[in-house]
Amino acid sequence: MPPWDPDPHVGKFKDDKGLSSDQIKTLVHWVEAGAPRGEGADPLAAAKHVAPDWPLGKPDVIVDIPTYQIPASGIVDYQYPVVANPLTTGKWLKASTTQVTERQGVHHVLSGFIKEGQTNRGMSAWGSSVGGYTVGMESVVNPKSIGTYVPPGGSLGFQMHYTPFGKEVTSKQQVGLYFYKDGEKPELMMRENVIVDQFIKLPPNDGAHKEIAYLDFPKDALLYTTVAHAHYRGAASTLTLRYPDGKEKLVLNIPKYDFNWQRMYEFDQPIQIPAGSKMIATYTYDNSKRNPANPDPSKEVVWGDQSFEEMFYTSMRYRWVDETAEKQTNYDELMMKTRLLGMLDDNIDDKVQESELRGQFATMLQGKFALVDANKDGGIDQQEFDNVMKMMPR
């Protein structure tokens, strides 16, 4: 029985695997009674369920990700294999399933389309995703009449996070792709973006450290799914919609984050996001000895790829209300312009005070804050922040 992490009092989700209060009460009373066997044959003994290789059926296209030899111990840097795009004509993706052979050793798989002739093959150059994987999330299915466009040619890039687990193994992964049939073009277009904060800093021996970041939505949107992701010190996570008038709505609450089982939560009804709203993610981290999964509570922890480091990563799948498959927009580009401000602006006032500066920004603007704060309001707003970015190396 897989765990179901969201607070049942916040939001409703499709494929809700949580137990009802009555079901929990039944189990507790049964345990308290000594777990009596009951009468008759054991129905579980008679059940012979074998999980299918492809739970969504036979894929239209199967993409083989190059195999990788996971060592028995040590640290494995992220791997970025690239394969040729099997599509000779552009297609609209309906669903995908990622299949892995060594679940103990595969932390996650991310993917993206790489344009023909693109030399930078890191994630910053990726386009449309063709699927992903974390424990508990193997398939991604678009709602009816909504698709993700995958162009022809070019390549498909993958970010592979492998974790040694005491045994040397060869891991093989495949991605099964399911497309809309020729001439069956979807009407609407799914988008995906993430709220990240690469400036997180967890003090040592702190059992309840909080970090916050947000994304601005420049146009009306509908939010379909979300995924919360942290590492061993992740303790809780929330996602809050702040409307333009300042009112707030909690749309996801994970009071006890479980690193070992991560899901994509699909809202029963898409969440309406008016233009000018913010989606605010908050994470609580337990960097204390009370956390049995904590590698070392005496260390200050910052953002990093490896599981013994930390992450702040909330993924969202959404669509722009006035965007269609025929009439695509640049709204994602508008959203990305404020991402860095959203990482630094901890008090969510659309400005970065000097006390909020972190990382290379704190170093670069040391002694220069008053100069950058052109309107002298005590904070760096988006326009002033754009001027700072022009001074930064790429």
Side-chain angles (χ1 to χ4, degrees):
M1 184 175 61
W4 183 253
D5 295 332
D7 180 348
H9 304 291
V10 177
K12 292 184 178 180
F13 302 91
K14 294 181 178 179
D15 195 29
D16 187 333
K17 298 185 183 298
L19 296 178
S20 68
S21 297
D22 287 342
Q23 289 171 328
I24 294 172
K25 187 186 299 182
T26 297
L27 282 173
V28 170
H29 288 174
W30 176 68
V31 171
E32 289 176 339
R37 184 188 182 282
E39 301 296 331
D42 182 358
L44 294 181
K48 294 183 179 179
H49 175 71
V50 178
D53 288 338
W54 301 106
L56 303 181
K58 182 181 178 182
D60 296 320
V61 173
I62 296 177
V63 179
D64 290 306
I65 302 175
T67 59
Y68 186 80
Q69 194 81 10
I70 305 176
S73 60
I75 298 172
V76 178
D77 291 334
Y78 278 15
Q79 302 297 304
Y80 290 90
V82 174
V83 300
N85 182 6
L87 301 183
T88 56
T89 59
K91 289 185 178 293
W92 287 90
L93 188 66
K94 182 183 291 185
S96 65
T97 295
T98 303
Q99 186 185 101
V100 305
T101 58
E102 298 294 337
R103 289 172 178 260
Q104 283 180 281
V106 180
H107 173 282
H108 74 248
V109 180
L110 298 177
S111 68
F113 171 77
I114 303 173
K115 293 180 181 179
E116 192 80 42
Q118 176 69 52
T119 56
N120 180 2
R121 298 198 166 190
M123 285 185 67
S124 61
W126 285 1
S128 308
S129 169
V130 294
Y133 167 88
T134 60
V135 179
M137 190 188 77
E138 292 83 20
S139 297
V140 179
V141 181
N142 280 320
K144 186 178 180 180
S145 299
I146 301 178
T148 302
Y149 184 66
V150 182
S155 307
L156 301 179
F158 297 90
Q159 183 194 83
M160 310 296 301
H161 182 178
Y162 297 105
T163 303
F165 59 98
K167 176 184 177 183
E168 183 176 304
V169 294
T170 299
S171 184
K172 179 180 179 180
Q173 290 73 227
Q174 292 182 310
V175 180
L177 304 179
Y178 303 82
F179 296 105
Y180 283 90
K181 305 304 180 186
D182 293 339
E184 190 192 358
K185 187 175 181 180
E187 299 174 9
L188 305 171
M189 186 170 183
M190 187 66 78
R191 296 282 187 172
E192 185 171 348
N193 215 324
V194 293
I195 306 173
V196 297
D197 189 346
Q198 296 176 319
F199 301 105
I200 58 174
K201 185 179 292 186
L202 283 55
N205 302 305
D206 190 333
H209 177 73
K210 288 191 176 183
E211 294 279 358
I212 193 167
Y214 62 82
L215 271 181
D216 286 305
F217 275 74
K219 303 291 182 177
D220 292 344
L222 288 170
L223 177 65
Y224 284 82
T225 69
T226 185
V227 178
H229 176 74
H231 288 170
Y232 290 137
R233 297 168 179 87
S237 179
T238 63
L239 184 62
T240 302
L241 169 59
R242 178 179 288 185
Y243 295 96
D245 63 3
K247 294 180 180 178
E248 294 187 351
K249 177 182 179 180
L250 185 62
V251 299
L252 177 72
N253 179 31
I254 299 178
K256 188 177 181 182
Y257 172 79
D258 184 355
F259 176 69
N260 298 299
W261 196 277
Q262 300 172 47
R263 290 188 176 278
M264 176 181 288
Y265 301 111
E266 183 176 1
F267 298 100
D268 186 54
Q269 295 294 328
I271 305 295
Q272 295 184 9
I273 306 176
S277 299
K278 298 181 187 299
M279 292 302 304
I280 305 168
T282 303
Y283 281 75
T284 302
Y285 300 90
D286 185 352
N287 190 22
S288 74
K289 63 182 180 182
R290 293 192 304 271
N291 177 0
N294 193 347
D296 188 349
S298 67
K299 285 188 176 181
E300 179 181 81
V301 185
V302 297
W303 171 282
D305 292 343
Q306 300 299 328
S307 299
F308 56 80
E309 297 168 314
E310 261 311 331
M311 279 195 178
F312 180 120
Y313 186 101
T314 294
S315 173
M316 300 180 296
R317 296 173 73 241
Y318 57 91
R319 70 175 183 85
W320 301 109
V321 170
D322 62 352
E323 180 176 53
T324 66
E326 294 288 348
K327 180 187 139 185
Q328 299 180 22
T329 71
N330 69 337
Y331 297 164
D332 273 21
E333 295 176 22
L334 299 178
M335 174 189 280
M336 292 297 288
K337 287 183 177 180
T338 63
R339 163 174 275 175
L340 273 171
L341 188 72
M343 291 188 200
L344 294 167
D345 179 20
D346 287 341
N347 63 4
I348 320 181
D349 65 349
D350 293 312
K351 294 181 287 189
V352 178
Q353 280 75 37
E354 190 166 11
S355 61
E356 293 175 320
L357 290 174
R358 287 174 284 175
Q360 65 266 47
F361 294 102
T363 302
M364 180 180 179
L365 297 180
Q366 186 174 10
K368 304 175 185 176
F369 189 89
L371 181 63
V372 175
D373 179 19
N375 61 10
K376 308 304 177 187
D377 65 352
I380 301 175
D381 59 27
Q382 186 61 53
Q383 184 175 353
E384 294 164 341
F385 198 77
D386 290 341
N387 293 332
V388 173
M389 291 305 297
K390 293 176 184 177
M391 302 163 58
M392 295 286 288
R394 181 173 178 82

